[in-house]
Amino acid sequence: MPEPIYSSRQRRKGFGSDSLRESANNKNNSYDYSDSEIVGNDRVSRVLSGADNGLSEDKKEHIRISQVYRKKDFIYLDRIDGKPTNVLQGLELHTRVFNAEEQKKIVECIYELQRKGQKGLLRERTYSEPRKWMRGKGRVTLQFGCCYNYAVDKNGNLPGIIRGEEVDPIPPLFKQIIKRMVRWNVIPPTCIPNSCIVNIYEEGDCIPPHIDHHDFVRPFCTLSLLTECNIVLGSTLKIVGPGEFSGPVSIPLPVGSVFVVNGNGADVAKHCIPGVSRKRISITFRKMDDSKLPYKFRPDPELIGVKPLIHSPVIRSQIQHDRHGKSL
């Protein structure tokens, strides 16, 4: 895999495991690699557009996979039950998963779904656009696969999946996203998502500190679109003001990246999104616990049996040859 491209400031902090260990107990721990995926996506686009020298579809996909940068060595030590614990264990950040053209298609799809929701063309609990009564409150959401209740509702339903409520199924383009993430080894084939939630943030919108409900199994993941933002994590997070939170670790989520949440990162550390400075869209994909599936849920045949793509020795050697030859 080629060395990721990033600035001198990014070289100094956030990438190497040694530098992370040195700063493991720094209360202002921040990982910075905001521009790394853009250059990679542009390069891949140039490789795969126009004169691609007769590359097969399999080889094109393997080239794209080889360009994905995967960071899995997040470290922040905190004392949990009297023991030093890496509360970020299990977190992964995969950048260059979706290029600019693919992101545009996904965003256009979401805006079309939003328009349908506004016109009442989706099931009632699929689309939600609450009134913005204060900063950080009232972001637009779209739920597919299941209806998740964030708080006790007017009918007395507790937080969690409402098994008797129907929402729209996962849209076709979102199923393509899921298959891409499994094929490209972003999420495991043992935990293929069967639900998702879209968050459409306007300036100032946020998500307060929380740990995701255990109606959803681990890992789950979030795709970031439109603009980069930081996710703040830690075993203890503070509410500073409306839409403003503080914690020991801040991780940038680059546009087009997928953030995978598992292990201590899912169940020991809380996470939140402070009020965003610009419009942002995210899609969080999750697999429901089998015992919490909606009563009318039926597995989607398209998402059954999806497997990771395996590098064959022949294609791997061809890619290595092309990297050092003239074709790329």
Side-chain angles (χ1 to χ4, degrees), residues 127-141 202 205:
Y127 181 75
S128 174
E129 188 171 344
R131 181 176 63 87
K132 291 186 180 296
W133 54 276
M134 67 176 293
R135 186 177 190 275
K137 300 292 185 179
R139 71 183 183 280
V140 172
T141 61
E202 300 294 341
D205 285 346

Side-chain angles (χ1 to χ4, degrees), residues 62-79:
H62 278 85
I63 291 171
R64 285 287 305 273
I65 295 172
S66 73
Q67 294 288 330
V68 174
Y69 178 69
R70 308 173 194 269
K71 178 170 178 55
K72 303 182 181 183
D73 58 352
F74 293 101
I75 298 174
Y76 180 78
L77 298 179
D78 202 352
R79 192 165 290 278

Side-chain angles (χ1 to χ4, degrees), residues 76-87 234-236 264 268-269:
Y76 180 78
L77 298 179
D78 202 352
R79 192 165 290 278
I80 306 296
D81 296 330
K83 299 178 181 178
T85 303
N86 178 18
V87 298
S235 57
T236 302
N264 290 344
V268 177

Side-chain angles (χ1 to χ4, degrees), residues 5-7 9-11 13-15 20 30-38 69 71 74 92-93 95 228 231 250-254 257 259:
I5 302 169
Y6 42 86
S7 68
R9 179 176 62 134
Q10 291 164 336
R11 284 185 192 276
K13 59 188 287 190
F15 277 94
L20 289 180
S30 178
Y31 301 91
D32 191 353
Y33 32 79
S34 56
D35 298 326
S36 61
E37 86 291 358
I38 301 301
Y69 178 69
K71 178 170 178 55
F74 293 101
E92 300 179 8
L93 184 66
T95 60
E228 178 180 303
I231 184 169
S250 180
I251 300 175
L253 302 179
S257 69
F259 189 60

Side-chain angles (χ1 to χ4, degrees), residues 154-171:
K154 61 184 179 182
N155 298 319
N157 293 306
L158 298 174
I161 295 172
I162 305 178
R163 303 185 70 188
E165 190 75 51
E166 285 190 84
V167 295
D168 288 86
I170 296 176

Side-chain angles (χ1 to χ4, degrees), residues 5-61:
I5 302 169
Y6 42 86
S7 68
S8 59
R9 179 176 62 134
Q10 291 164 336
R11 284 185 192 276
R12 288 197 300 270
K13 59 188 287 190
F15 277 94
S17 58
D18 291 339
S19 65
L20 289 180
R21 290 189 184 96
E22 290 172 5
S23 61
N25 286 314
N26 181 346
K27 292 300 181 182
N28 295 312
N29 205 354
S30 178
Y31 301 91
D32 191 353
Y33 32 79
S34 56
D35 298 326
S36 61
E37 86 291 358
I38 301 301
V39 177
N41 280 336
D42 288 345
R43 182 185 174 203
V44 169
S45 297
R46 290 197 299 272
V47 169
L48 301 184
S49 64
D52 57 14
N53 296 314
L55 298 177
S56 68
E57 292 302 316
D58 279 349
K59 191 172 179 183
K60 291 177 186 178
E61 187 170 15

